[in-house]
Amino acid sequence: MDRSSLLQLIQEQQLDPENTGFIGADTFTGLVHSHELPLDPAKLDMLVALAQSNERGQVCYQELVDLVSAMISSKRSSSFKRAIANGQRALPRDGLLDEPGLGVYKRFVRYVAYEILPCEVDRRWYFYRHRSCPPPVFMASVTLAQIIVFLCYGARLNKWVLQTYHPEYMKSPLVYHPGHRARAWRFLTYMFMHVGLEQLGFNALLQLMIGVPLEMVHGVLRISLLYLAGVLAGSLTVSITDMRAPVVGGSGGVYALCSAHLANVVMNWAGMRCPYKLLRMVLALVCMSSEVGRAVWLRFSPPLPSSGPQPSFMAHLAGAVVGVSMGLTILRSYEERLQDQCGWWVVLLAYGTFLLFAIFWNIFAYDLLGAHIPPPP
């Protein structure tokens, strides 16, 4: 039964003969139970609880019909939020933390729900709707590929720390180097290369601890878009602001994910139920700031003599900007259509404008400004 069929049924049975837009809560509850709706029992209980929550004994069936349609569909609309808001306080079920008899995987799903989502209704929606297939493959695959590439170059160069100082390192076809700007794939593939074991370990840890839960909740498409947007913005920003420097590491994508998640936690501080959130926020900011400080130190005060400039730190900052803008828009739109939101189009327009500017900059600015870039390896 779709939205139009349910509306037609209400009219045919003359449940609202005067077309007031309201019907009795008990009437609507009986209607839902007497007709087949492709809903999970937990979602059906939630729908009935919302119908019974009105103090006057009447509900606006238009909003509840929208809620039924949203529950059946894969994405929710703005009417879902309005319907939820009308009955959120009267939901009779306890919170997910009180759910007994859960298996290991369902407990992990519950943990992810409380780590990522700020609203109890959203957490419950995700918990009952979540399916293990497809698994969060994007962040796991990227992390595995980065580890494999690092191990291959570590074995080949016989160097596991500060690999960028090895003369053969910059000859990799994956590294972004300003002398190889015409090889456009390098603006993305540099994310598979890392300075050393310490940078790889930091990025891999954050990708698995933050990226995988975000992918479980928001889906592979949105999180991969956010991560790759941060990576691309990182290399393009370096090509504009630090024109002589190469770039390695996936920090642009990592900082996009982390900044988006931290900004979402701050903006929904009261609703977030993750334990020790203030302590974890402080630790995350300290670790991220330390990594940026380390990158600045390696860029301007390298501990070893090198043949050219060391990788830039601007990719970290560009990723953070992408996370606070595009990423925050994505994370605040859980199970809602992004194309229906004006803010999403504003963010896309801003990002697209930046891409066009960066492309023209890389084509013309180096020659016009007479930039002295180190010879490509």
Side-chain angles (χ1 to χ4, degrees), residues 150 159-165 169 193-203 248-251 255 285-304 310-314 316-317:
F150 177 78
K159 192 174 181 64
W160 304 97
V161 178
L162 299 178
Q163 289 185 350
T164 53
Y165 290 92
Y169 181 85
M193 304 291 290
H194 287 82
V195 173
L197 184 61
E198 65 287 351
Q199 186 190 27
L200 173 65
F202 179 80
N203 287 349
V248 296
S251 297
Y255 274 64
L285 292 176
V286 169
C287 291
M288 293 172 66
S289 301
S290 300
E291 174 63 18
V292 173
R294 175 183 171 278
V296 173
W297 172 63
L298 289 177
R299 173 67 180 89
F300 295 110
S301 299
L304 298 175
Q310 287 300 294
S312 177
F313 60 91
M314 290 302 298
H316 300 71
L317 305 182

Side-chain angles (χ1 to χ4, degrees), residues 41-56:
K43 295 178 183 177
L44 189 57
D45 291 342
M46 184 187 298
L47 180 63
V48 173
L50 289 171
Q52 294 173 341
S53 64
N54 190 279
E55 296 179 356
R56 298 181 180 179

Side-chain angles (χ1 to χ4, degrees), residues 137-157:
V137 295
F138 175 75
M139 292 311 309
S141 300
V142 168
T143 303
L144 180 61
Q146 291 171 341
I147 293 175
I148 291 176
V149 170
F150 177 78
L151 292 177
C152 290
Y153 275 91
R156 175 185 173 186
L157 304 177

Side-chain angles (χ1 to χ4, degrees), residues 174-189:
L174 302 178
V175 173
Y176 166 79
H177 189 281
H180 290 309
R181 299 188 314 281
R183 302 175 184 179
W185 70 83
R186 291 175 179 256
F187 284 91
L188 283 175
T189 57

